[in-house]
Amino acid sequence: MEFKGNYWHETCFVCKHCQQPIGTKPLISIESGNYCVPCFEMEFAHYCSFCKKVITSGGIMFCGQPWHKECFLCRGCRKELCEEEFMSRDDYPFCLDCYNHLYAKKCATCTKPITGFRGAKFICFQDRQWHSECFNCEKCSVSLVGEGFLTHNKEIFCHKCGSGVDTDM
């Protein structure tokens, strides 16, 4: 047999791991030796965290685990995520829609999800959250970001508008 410019008896051209003759079967040759495909997969290949099958090409890593691209799915809706932006929760990937629906806090003004995604700014006070663009005086709508404010029940006011209201603070 001839392989890469070297010659062997057929019975001597064997898999480095199982020592069985490779003959004309498919093989994988690496610096440390020649391997039959099953032995190479057993010794060196990554196995998908989802389907447990060998990843032969491509694949992605998530939380230190290998995945086939087609197996990397949203935990909520099973949508493929390999080309999508996603969030994770408890080491599970979620598409943005599922994450927002299941886990994101809701803005006290507009009730839309607050994710902090892409550096979005938000304000937290006691048990409520607001998008920075929604954190405004209930009366005059002036932005309260970086300003002092007063509260009355669940409403927030600037000092001017809140001075005549019996406030919580």
Side-chain angles (χ1 to χ4, degrees), residues 35-65:
Y35 295 84
C36 65
V37 172
C39 286
F40 180 84
E41 289 177 353
M42 186 172 61
E43 288 292 307
F44 301 105
H46 292 287
Y47 288 83
C48 177
S49 295
F50 180 74
C51 72
K52 309 300 185 219
K53 294 180 182 173
V54 171
I55 299 172
T56 56
S57 66
I60 63 168
M61 293 294 284
F62 173 72
C63 290
Q65 300 295 318

Side-chain angles (χ1 to χ4, degrees), residues 9-27:
H9 295 112
E10 274 192 42
T11 56
C12 296
F13 189 62
V14 297
C15 170
K16 173 127 177 150
H17 181 74
C18 70
Q19 299 298 309
Q20 295 299 309
I22 294 174
T24 58
K25 293 187 282 187
L27 71 109

Side-chain angles (χ1 to χ4, degrees), residues 51-135:
C51 72
K52 309 300 185 219
K53 294 180 182 173
V54 171
I55 299 172
T56 56
S57 66
I60 63 168
M61 293 294 284
F62 173 72
C63 290
Q65 300 295 318
W67 300 71
H68 288 112
K69 288 182 177 184
E70 60 274 9
C71 291
F72 189 61
L73 307 172
C74 171
R75 178 75 172 193
C77 69
R78 312 306 294 162
K79 172 183 176 182
E80 282 190 27
L81 295 176
C82 68
E83 302 291 328
E84 302 286 328
E85 293 178 315
F86 66 91
M87 303 286 281
S88 66
R89 172 79 178 233
D90 302 325
D91 291 338
Y92 292 110
F94 290 89
C95 69
L96 297 182
D97 288 339
C98 287
Y99 183 87
N100 289 342
H101 175 72
L102 295 169
Y103 300 111
K105 302 283 187 186
K106 306 295 187 255
C107 176
T109 300
C110 73
T111 69
K112 291 181 181 170
I114 297 174
T115 62
F117 197 67
R118 292 191 197 117
K121 305 267 190 239
F122 58 94
I123 290 88
C124 294
F125 177 71
Q126 293 178 340
D127 63 343
R128 295 180 289 163
Q129 300 79 29
W130 294 264
H131 297 105
S132 59
E133 62 272 13
C134 295
F135 192 60

